[in-house]
Structures are given as structure tokens and as C-alpha cells.
Amino acid sequence: MELLMSNWTDVQSLPKSYVFPPDRRPGENAFPVCKNVPVIDLEKAEGPDRVETIQQILNASQKFGFFQVINHGVSESLTEDTMSVFKEFFGMPAEYKASFYSNDINKSCRIYSSTLNYDAEEFHYWRDNFTHRCHPVEDHVQDWPERPARYREVVGSYSVELRKFLLRILNLISEGLGIEQGYFEGDLSKIQLLSVNHHIPCPDPCLTLGMPEHSDPNLISMIQQCSVPGLQVFLEGKWMGVEPLPNAFLVIPGLQLKVISNGKFSSPLHRVVTHSDEARTTICSFFIPSHDILIEPAKSLLDADHAPNYKAFTYKEFFSTFTGKNCDGEVALEFFKNKPE
């Protein structure tokens, strides 16, 4: 069977390897929509409402572990062009996409199906993923697709604007926590990945998942959703849908921000369910620390009354533990927690 589902046509039934066991299926029940997702108007951070806006970001990062951002500074025409380019890419001929196929996480530009361990999986997830490094653009653009013809120009501009956006969010977080400005620049945000998930219409969404439940192991993530619902977060003991706002970005602080904030921030479990009638394409961008830099609670957050909750570790050590614990973020973090005496 062709691995990339973006090459499938006229899918009438779910292949057996995509049918999850009953206890892992989303089921037929309608999931509630989270009605109180925090919405941050980033324009207000540059005016008299700056302090209030920063506090909204901190509150959202602590209580929910995610928030939506409007007026983020990336033009609507660029976000629409980028989404259009990625949809074109997934519609390219199978032979062309096959030239990028790889399960090697060290390859700078690749497409794969389900997760990184397709051959070892008992059950597969209903998605294709295309991912590549994008910072600095000039170091990686030669590895990107030459088709669609606009790909390198449009995605290059988008990647640069996303980096500005995420650094702006991180600087506001620094200001709110009382960490020195520029703390998150350099090695803590050295690697920037663009990761695009594509889900074709699913014959039976109650039997499978588009992505596994997980917490993000990196520093920070953003998601440009499409109009087709699918993203869910685990809040208050249940799965809840996150409806996209037009021209908004969803921001999720990763597990490294949870450590640096000394446990103040949360990083929620989230997953993707499938849709029976429409394809769904979403664009994500991640900041990943340099593999050898030490991650630890920011020293400005520590004093006689606030001991570090986590030991110092390298991102390489953490990611190895994370993948070794089946990508369970909380279990992985337990390994690096300081135990009370």
C-alpha cells in the first residue's frame, strides 16, 4: 500500500492498520468546544495596555498552557499564500513527493506518514507530515522543494515572519517573568522547524486519530489552523476542541518553557481527530534549543523561598528520555525533577 495518504484516491473504508483499539478511539460522542480559550491582541502590547497584555499571556500559559493571538503582525495575504503553497505541495505527483520521503529525523527536509516509527507501529495515524528546518533561511532553502514554483519565496518569507513573531512572544514572557530581555534568543531558539500536517477525509473518524496525544518537547510552538476543526486539548479531565479564529495563531509553550519558568507554565496534552468530508492542512513552527545547551530554571526566578524544581539538562538528554518514554512529556520531566529532601 502507498504510504503517503495524500496519494490515496477514493478511500471508501479505513485500512485495518489505522483502526485503533476501542480504548484509544475518539468514539462517536461529540466533543465539547473550549469556549474560553484566551485570545491575545498583540497590537496592545505596543501601547498603554502592554502590562495587561503580558499578564494575559502569563495567565494563559499557567492556566491553559496555550492561547490564540490576533493582530500578530504576519500579513493575512502571506498566511493565505503559504497555506495555498502547502496544499499544492501535498497535491503534487507521488513520484515527486517520494524524493523527500524519509524517517530520518536528522534529515533537514522530509515527508513521512503517521509518525517517525511507521514500520514499528501497531496502529497508524491518519496524516502525512512534511517538515524542514528554516533558520536561517539561506542555510536551508536549497533543500526545500523547487515545486510549486512559489514554494521557496513564499515559505522563506513566512518562516522569517514567524520567527519574529515567536521571539516577540518570548520577549513578552521574559518581561512578565522578570527574566532578562534576549534570554530566549541564541541557543535556546537556535533550531526553527516548519512542520505541516495533512489529513485527507477519513471514512470513519470515530475509529482513528490524526495525531497522537502529546505535549510539545520543544521551547515553544505555533499553529496556523485551517477552517476544518480537528485540534483537541485535554482540559479539566476531558478532551475539548479548539476552534480556529480567522487569521489567528495558536501558541503553545513547550516543556522547555515549563522548566525555565520553574514549573509556572503548563504544556497541555493535545491531539488531532479526523474529519469525514474535508481534508485538513495545518502549519506549525517550533523553536528547538541547541542540543548541547543546558536547560534549567531561570536563575532570576530562584531565591531562598523558590528552589529549582528541575535539574539542569541538555535538550539532547531530554529528547532522548522523551522518545524513550513513548513521548510522554510528564513522565520524561519526572526524570529531571529535583526530589524534596
Side-chain angles (χ1 to χ4, degrees):
M1 184 177 69
E2 167 66 55
L3 291 184
L4 293 177
M5 61 174 50
S6 54
N7 297 329
W8 298 359
T9 58
D10 195 28
V11 183
Q12 298 295 320
S13 62
L14 216 62
K16 184 178 179 181
S17 60
Y18 289 84
V19 178
F20 278 71
D23 62 332
R24 294 177 58 193
R25 297 172 188 171
E28 297 180 0
N29 295 330
F31 291 94
V33 173
C34 186
K35 297 293 187 180
N36 53 346
V37 176
V39 178
I40 309 298
D41 185 343
L42 203 55
E43 277 187 350
K44 293 184 176 181
E46 304 308 318
D49 296 324
R50 183 178 183 85
V51 173
E52 180 184 350
T53 303
I54 290 174
Q55 194 57 52
Q56 289 173 349
I57 293 173
L58 296 187
N59 291 343
S61 298
Q62 292 175 34
K63 182 178 179 181
F64 291 86
F66 64 97
F67 49 90
Q68 301 216 59
V69 180
I70 59 174
N71 295 322
H72 42 63
V74 184
S75 72
E76 186 172 359
S77 61
L78 181 56
T79 60
E80 290 178 350
D81 280 353
T82 307
M83 181 66 77
S84 176
V85 163
F86 281 124
K87 288 180 178 180
E88 285 183 58
F89 174 78
F90 282 107
M92 285 284 176
E95 302 78 24
Y96 181 66
K97 287 179 290 186
S99 65
F100 296 98
Y101 192 91
S102 176
N103 282 327
D104 180 2
I105 64 173
N106 295 312
K107 190 172 181 181
S108 65
C109 182
R110 60 197 171 87
I111 192 171
Y112 60 92
S113 189
S114 188
T115 72
L116 295 178
N117 298 311
Y118 185 94
D119 292 333
E121 292 172 346
E122 188 176 2
F123 305 100
H124 302 315
Y125 293 89
W126 194 262
R127 72 151 180 176
D128 288 346
N129 178 271
F130 183 59
T131 186
H132 59 64
R133 295 194 178 200
C134 51
H135 175 73
V137 169
E138 58 269 20
D139 286 356
H140 301 289
V141 68
Q142 67 275 6
D143 297 325
W144 299 357
E146 295 184 72
R147 292 185 288 153
R150 302 179 301 148
Y151 189 101
R152 294 182 175 184
E153 177 186 357
V154 171
V155 175
S157 297
Y158 181 80
S159 301
V160 169
E161 292 303 310
L162 284 193
R163 186 165 189 85
K164 292 177 185 176
F165 163 71
L166 283 174
L167 286 174
R168 191 175 171 194
I169 294 292
L170 288 170
N171 282 331
L172 293 172
I173 288 173
S174 295
E175 187 173 333
L177 290 176
I179 299 173
E180 62 267 25
Q181 283 294 298
Y183 184 91
F184 294 106
E185 298 178 22
D187 283 340
L188 278 175
S189 56
K190 184 173 184 178
I191 301 169
Q192 180 183 350
L193 285 186
L194 207 59
S195 178
V196 188
N197 293 307
H198 181 71
H199 315 269
I200 65 172
C202 179
D204 199 339
C206 70
L207 298 180
T208 192
L209 287 169
M211 277 188 69
E213 59 183 62
H214 65 286
S215 297
D216 289 347
N218 46 278
L219 181 68
I220 195 168
S221 308
M222 66 70 59
I223 303 173
Q224 179 184 329
Q225 297 201 75
C226 64
S227 60
V228 182
L231 178 65
Q232 295 182 338
V233 294
F234 195 70
L235 290 175
E236 300 172 355
K238 58 181 177 288
W239 288 105
M240 304 182 75
V242 180
E243 289 188 334
L245 290 177
N247 198 36
F249 291 154
L250 185 79
V251 175
I252 303 177
L255 293 172
Q256 306 312 306
L257 257 179
K258 181 172 184 175
V259 171
I260 292 168
S261 70
N262 204 31
K264 292 180 183 292
F265 286 6
S266 61
S267 190
L269 280 175
H270 49 288
R271 70 180 187 183
V272 171
V273 294
T274 60
H275 198 279
S276 59
D277 300 319
E278 297 183 76
R280 182 175 184 273
T281 304
T282 57
I283 308 170
C284 310
S285 188
F286 312 124
F287 278 2
I288 299 173
S290 170
H291 288 184
D292 296 323
I293 189 178
L294 279 181
I295 313 290
E296 59 186 341
K299 290 182 170 52
S300 56
L301 301 180
L302 308 177
D303 55 34
D305 297 320
H306 300 89
N309 291 328
Y310 301 94
K311 309 169 187 174
F313 55 82
T314 66
Y315 186 75
K316 182 178 181 180
E317 290 172 323
F318 176 82
F319 194 72
S320 175
T321 304
F322 177 77
T323 54
K325 300 297 182 183
N326 295 318
C327 298
D328 188 319
E330 291 306 313
V331 171
L333 277 183
E334 278 295 319
F335 186 81
F336 300 100
K337 270 191 175 179
N338 281 320
K339 309 302 180 186
E341 295 181 359

